[in-house]
């Protein structure tokens, strides 16, 4: 552990971070869970922020890296209460106008299925300066951490990232599942636990095989990560046993079959964080 710390200090001492100016907002991707998957920009932002507005999915280990910031939770878990988006936008603008260094911390990448686009548009319309710090999206980081390659030269040349529900919780109307079934070798589904039965039916109708392998990856990159592998025909049965509020990726495609060969030799322990006992919360 001491070696890791010394190595990180060496890296940090060779980098000059951009100024996080008072009165600005940084939209920061927190990655899928393991604090070791944060970018250096993200770690810097957390270290100097005055206030962090974070989603429910952001891991406590990541929040522990913002010891001087006030923490405000504005997210929701599946089925729970969500802070209305308008209120989040207004809060970001208010805090920036109060002259604070504001971090808007989102799981994964801030602009992938996370309403980051709405927030940047609201900030731009209000004339508030902001910076976007990309993060490792769960669909990339979670897939790799589970030992499933998103592509493979001989098996899969394309991958699509798809959401399994729209704002009302229904299967998104404007997703052409037939075209996806025929056009993308690998499908990485976010927020699809409740709809995987319908999705599987549509993929099967469009010609995907009932025996095609499917992986459920829950709480990817954390110490609680678990992976279950099944087939498209059996996917709904597996989903029924996973609690709705557990973050889950569903990966459909031939690359899932490589997992036993890869995962058996893969080290995937996450970094662990020293807990911060005394901190401000809101
Ligand atoms: C609102 S979306 C946010 C996605 C995020 N912006 C990203 O780029 O990963 C939340 C969904 O991402 C997926 N997700 C996020 N973190 C995950 C994790 N650690 N393990 C598995 N799935 C995860 C789940 O499908 C979850 O329901």
């Amino acid at each position: 552990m001491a070696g890791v710390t010394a190595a990180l200090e060496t890296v940090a001492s060779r980098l000059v971070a951009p100024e996080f100016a008072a009165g600005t907002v940084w939209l920061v991707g927190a990655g899928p869970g393991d604090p070791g998957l944060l970018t250096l920009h993200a770690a810097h932002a957390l270290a100097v922020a005055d206030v962090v507005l974070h989603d429910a999915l952001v891991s406590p280990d990541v929040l522990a890296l913002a010891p001087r910031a006030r923490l405000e939770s504005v997210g929701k878990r599946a089925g729970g209460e969500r802070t209305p988006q308008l209120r989040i936008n207004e809060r970001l603008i208010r805090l920036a106008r109060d002259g604070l260094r504001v971090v808007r911390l989102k799981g994964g990448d801030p602009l992938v299925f996370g309403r980051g686009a709405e927030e940047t548009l609201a900030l731009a319309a209000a004339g508030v300066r902001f910076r976007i710090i990309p993060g490792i999206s769960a669909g990339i980081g979670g897939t790799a951490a589970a030992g499933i390659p998103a592509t493979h030269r001989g098996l899969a040349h394309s991958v699509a990232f798809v959401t399994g529900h729209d704002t009302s919780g229904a299967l998104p109307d404007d997703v052409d599942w037939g075209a996806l079934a025929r056009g993308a070798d690998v499908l990485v589904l976010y927020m699809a636990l409740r709809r995987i039965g319908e999705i599987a039916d549509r993929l099967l109708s469009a010609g995907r095989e009932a025996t095609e392998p499917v992986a459920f990856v829950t709480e990817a990159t954390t110490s609680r990560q678990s992976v279950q592998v099944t087939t498209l025909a059996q996917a709904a049965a597996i989903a029924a046993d996973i609690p709705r509020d557990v973050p889950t990726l569903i990966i459909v495609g031939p690359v899932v079959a490589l997992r036993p060969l890869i995962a058996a030799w893969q080290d995937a322990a996450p970094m662990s964080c020293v807990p911060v006992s005394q901190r401000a919360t809101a």
Side-chain angles (χ1 to χ4, degrees), residues 1-57:
M1 185 52 87
V4 172
T5 308
L8 290 178
E9 276 168 10
T10 306
V11 170
S13 70
R14 292 185 183 172
L15 291 167
V16 179
E19 187 194 1
F20 190 167
T24 67
V25 177
W26 283 24
L27 265 96
V28 176
D34 178 354
L37 297 177
L38 284 171
T39 63
L40 292 165
H41 276 312
H44 166 66
L46 291 172
V48 302
D50 298 311
V51 55
V52 175
L53 270 68
H54 64 91
D55 286 348
L57 274 186

Side-chain angles (χ1 to χ4, degrees), residues 32 57 107-109 112-114 137-138 190-191 217-220 247-249:
L57 274 186
D109 181 89
V112 174
F113 302 135
S137 189
Y190 293 64
M191 298 173 282
V217 185
T218 59
E219 300 194 83
T248 305
L249 285 171

Side-chain angles (χ1 to χ4, degrees), residues 215-229:
F216 287 76
V217 185
T218 59
E219 300 194 83
T221 80
T222 72
S223 55
R224 299 170 304 283
Q225 172 175 300
S226 85
V227 183
Q228 296 181 74
V229 175

Side-chain angles (χ1 to χ4, degrees), residues 94-163:
R94 173 79 272 140
L95 291 166
R97 287 187 175 152
D98 285 348
L100 299 177
R101 289 176 193 83
V102 185
V103 163
R104 174 67 175 107
L105 188 64
K106 291 171 162 290
D109 181 89
L111 300 186
V112 174
F113 302 135
R115 302 187 178 212
E118 284 105 307
E119 291 169 18
T120 52
L121 290 169
L123 292 169
V128 172
R129 297 210 64 84
F130 60 87
R131 183 181 172 103
I132 299 167
I133 309 295
I136 298 179
S137 189
I140 293 284
T143 303
I148 299 169
T151 64
H152 178 283
R153 262 195 315 172
L155 283 177
H157 292 108
S158 55
V159 55
F161 299 97
V162 191
T163 175

